[in-house]
Amino acid sequence: MEIGDTIVEYKKDTPALPGYKKVKPMVYASVFPTETKDYMNLKKAFEKLYLNDSALHFSAIYSSALGAGFRVGFLGLLHADVVRERLEREYELSIVLTPPQVEYKIENTEFYEPYAKILIITPEEYIGAVMKLCDDYRATFVTMDNKNQISLIYEIPMSEMISDFFDNLKSVTSGYASLDWELSRYQHVKAAKLELLLNMEPIEEFSEVVVEERAQKRGAELAKKLRSAIPRQQYEVRIQARYRGKIIASERISPFRKDVLIKSGKVIGAGDVGRKKKLLQKQKEGKKLMKSVGRVEIPKDAFVKMFKKNN
């Protein structure tokens, strides 16, 4: 496990199937059943998916906040999203998927970031836009070939490539550019763990390693995104992003006013009592899709929203 993880691995990674070469995952995420009783069903589902998807890696983990689950390796964000949809649609499982992240190497508290060598082929008229895009994503120019069509080779941090780089590449080239990549090396980088806190309690499932130059922007982005994903509670919820011991961004969710619908276990107030009871029952059922972290209840959809890069 990487430094900064709070989950504890207690099972070896799944072995490769005979005759298959095991593919190294690009990103890792944690997957937990919404209902604790579904853990074994989730395990069986992963085993069945693996029979037809040897690129899927998974091992058992335990989180103090979310309980027993699996640490899963994917080829990329699309692969992660496809697996999530299959678990929910084909196996009828309600799951929590934490935001996928790349793995940094850590040696003597120093971080080393994985880089990919990418090949971009694009029509000549888009070369300026493509080169600017690569600069914006911390990519380093290697070489260019324009004998037949423009071929650009860059080295780019994996953390940048798995975000919305490919979507933006398609956008600036009107869909004409193509991209190929391979993992090339690890490079030393100034980085640290960016923590998200709910009412001063760190939420490890939303924390991630971030390079120093991206910390301020990423912290504000995550805090704002989490604020939009968590519903109002009976008490104030403060969301903070902490980097190298300093709070760099914060959001606030104001509390509900005192609930006047229920008093001493009885429904009170004017209006249709039956309708009020139905609303309360619906609220009770909705809590089944919640995960409590400290005193804050986080809906499953919040994890999905944090997973999505462009929402």
Side-chain angles (χ1 to χ4, degrees):
M1 300 295 291
E2 296 290 343
I3 292 175
D5 286 342
T6 57
I7 47 185
V8 180
E9 186 171 356
Y10 58 86
K11 178 185 174 184
K12 295 288 186 180
D13 199 6
T14 43
L17 291 173
Y20 285 84
K21 182 179 179 181
K22 201 164 186 182
V23 181
K24 184 175 177 58
M26 274 182 62
V27 297
Y28 289 86
S30 298
V31 180
F32 302 91
T34 302
E35 295 286 338
T36 306
K37 62 181 177 62
D38 282 334
Y39 172 79
M40 289 306 299
N41 291 331
L42 179 58
K43 180 177 182 292
K44 291 176 182 178
F46 273 128
E47 289 172 346
K48 289 179 180 178
L49 289 176
Y50 182 68
L51 293 176
N52 296 309
D53 185 358
S54 61
L56 185 69
H57 294 205
F58 64 96
S59 56
I61 57 172
Y62 183 82
S63 164
S64 57
L66 299 175
F70 295 90
R71 182 171 183 266
V72 187
F74 303 99
L75 293 179
L77 298 187
L78 178 60
H79 187 205
D81 207 19
V82 168
V83 170
R84 177 185 63 80
E85 287 187 1
R86 291 191 65 186
L87 288 171
E88 293 183 330
R89 185 180 66 254
E90 296 178 24
Y91 297 94
E92 299 182 344
L93 290 167
S94 177
I95 62 170
V96 168
L97 173 68
T98 64
Q101 301 172 27
V102 301
E103 281 197 318
Y104 287 72
K105 284 186 177 180
I106 306 174
E107 298 178 3
N108 299 320
T109 71
E110 296 293 321
F111 287 83
Y112 292 83
E113 186 175 29
Y115 268 69
K117 180 176 285 188
I118 60 174
L119 169 64
I120 299 172
I121 299 177
T122 179
E124 186 175 0
E125 60 263 34
Y126 300 113
I127 186 171
V130 170
M131 296 183 79
K132 182 181 183 305
L133 179 70
C134 289
D135 288 341
D136 291 341
Y137 281 77
R138 297 195 294 127
T140 304
F141 177 76
V142 177
T143 187
M144 178 174 67
D145 181 1
N146 58 357
K147 290 181 180 179
N148 297 315
Q149 52 187 335
I150 302 297
S151 299
L152 295 163
I153 295 178
Y154 275 83
E155 285 193 323
I156 185 173
M158 292 283 286
S159 60
E160 302 281 350
M161 193 179 77
I162 70 163
S163 60
D164 52 1
F165 176 77
F166 183 68
D167 290 340
N168 283 329
L169 176 64
K170 286 294 186 181
S171 178
V172 300
T173 61
S174 300
Y176 287 106
S178 64
L179 173 70
D180 195 10
W181 69 274
E182 62 179 7
L183 182 65
S184 61
R185 61 189 173 88
Y186 284 81
Q187 178 173 304
H188 179 264
V189 66
K190 290 183 179 179
K193 186 166 72 170
L194 175 65
E195 296 178 297
L196 281 189
L197 294 81
L198 288 180
N199 290 346
M200 299 305 296
E201 182 176 351
I203 311 303
E204 295 294 337
E205 287 73 22
F206 289 145
S207 299
E208 61 184 62
V209 175
V210 177
V211 297
E212 192 173 88
E213 64 189 270
R214 295 282 197 230
Q216 189 72 47
K217 180 180 178 181
R218 184 62 175 161
E221 177 185 276
L222 289 177
K224 184 176 182 181
K225 188 180 290 188
L226 190 55
R227 181 187 183 279
S228 68
I230 296 179
R232 292 173 70 186
Q233 320 261 325
Q234 296 297 329
Y235 40 81
E236 179 184 57
V237 177
R238 288 195 173 273
I239 303 168
Q240 296 170 307
R242 183 169 64 189
Y243 191 74
R244 296 189 187 277
K246 296 181 179 180
I247 301 299
I248 60 173
S250 63
E251 295 284 343
R252 175 182 176 273
I253 302 174
S254 59
F256 280 123
R257 294 182 178 180
K258 186 176 180 181
D259 189 0
V260 295
L261 185 59
I262 296 293
K263 186 175 182 179
S264 301
K266 297 180 179 179
V267 181
I268 62 173
D272 185 346
V273 174
R275 180 174 177 273
K276 290 179 180 178
K277 286 183 177 180
K278 287 181 180 180
L279 289 174
L280 290 173
Q281 181 62 30
K282 184 177 180 181
Q283 182 186 54
K284 181 180 178 181
E285 302 222 343
K287 287 183 180 293
K288 294 179 181 180
L289 297 179
M290 298 281 192
K291 283 293 183 180
S292 293
V293 179
R295 295 178 60 207
V296 181
E297 290 185 329
I298 304 177
K300 187 187 76 169
D301 287 349
F303 292 86
V304 176
K305 289 179 180 179
M306 297 297 283
F307 164 50
K308 297 292 186 181
K309 293 292 181 179
N310 298 316
N311 65 327

